Amino acid sequence: MTSADPLTTADHWTHRAAIPLAGDHSVLDRWDRVVALHGDAAALAGDGRPYTFRQADGASRSLASVLDAELRPDDRSGAGVGAVAGGASKPVGVMAGQTTEAVVAILALVRAGRTVVVLDEHLPVVRLGHVARLAGVDEIVADPARADLAATVVAERGGRVHALADLLERHGESVSDQRATDVTTADTTADTAVDATADTAADTAADATADTRA
């Protein structure tokens, strides 16, 4: 499915599940199983950059770490969906349309343990504000095209808007930093191995010379 596909269709659903249905699967359980089985297969395409399952998984995991540092602490003030309101994770809004980056952001928020509220920019701003108030949303992750609208939606709640593009860029920088660290570690290990080999060879040569003289 691409981000351009409609959410509903009159046609019969013919897509086959990537993995068998199981009663103990959470969203992340099923996602992890699909990534393990189909990591190099195309996962997201359409509006936004394309991702394989493995790329989307890596991006969402890194973004979850970034969001964990950027978002306000989760005070468990979310209303939840139980008979008695309260005690759920604090919800965070997402306004990024039907882009591939929106899916990555949703996965990242779920992995960060947050309740996700997807806000449809086609609704009137008053309606969006009402939805945000009811859900207790005062932070929204938004793409550039919807950042101003998102700011308006949470303005009366003293809310914050997190730029999705910047967060994903930071994810890319963290991946680059990790790769650089890995390369540095590998170089250091190689240098140490070379030095140890040279020392061993020198000691062996010295021992052999001493034995010859003896």
Side-chain angles (χ1 to χ4, degrees), residues 100-126:
T100 58
E101 289 82 4
V103 178
V104 171
I106 292 169
L107 280 169
L109 285 167
V110 172
R111 196 168 287 284
R114 295 304 188 100
T115 300
V116 183
V117 179
V118 179
L119 298 167
D120 184 354
E121 75 273 13
H122 295 101
L123 293 175
V125 64
V126 174

Side-chain angles (χ1 to χ4, degrees), residues 12 39 42 203:
H12 179 66
D203 291 342

Side-chain angles (χ1 to χ4, degrees), residues 16 25 176 213:
R16 296 175 61 185
H25 285 181
S176 297
R213 289 175 178 173

Side-chain angles (χ1 to χ4, degrees), residues 41-165:
L44 302 172
D47 188 3
R49 62 153 288 185
Y51 290 88
T52 64
F53 282 103
R54 185 170 289 108
Q55 288 170 338
D57 184 60
S60 65
R61 287 176 182 273
S62 295
L63 183 56
S65 297
V66 173
L67 287 168
D68 194 49
E70 285 292 316
L71 295 172
R72 292 167 176 165
D74 186 0
D75 59 5
R76 309 296 297 180
S77 62
V81 294
V84 179
S89 63
K90 187 171 179 58
V92 177
V94 174
M95 290 187 70
Q98 291 187 7
T99 61
T100 58
E101 289 82 4
V103 178
V104 171
I106 292 169
L107 280 169
L109 285 167
V110 172
R111 196 168 287 284
R114 295 304 188 100
T115 300
V116 183
V117 179
V118 179
L119 298 167
D120 184 354
E121 75 273 13
H122 295 101
L123 293 175
V125 64
V126 174
R127 175 63 177 169
L128 285 171
H130 179 66
V131 171
R133 283 193 300 274
L134 286 179
V137 170
D138 59 15
E139 292 185 275
I140 298 176
V141 177
D143 65 4
R146 300 162 181 85
D148 289 342
L149 177 59
T152 301
V153 169
V154 294
E156 69 176 43
R157 298 173 56 82
R160 300 165 59 189
V161 176
H162 301 276
L164 179 55

Side-chain angles (χ1 to χ4, degrees), residues 1 131 195:
M1 175 176 288
V131 171
D195 291 343

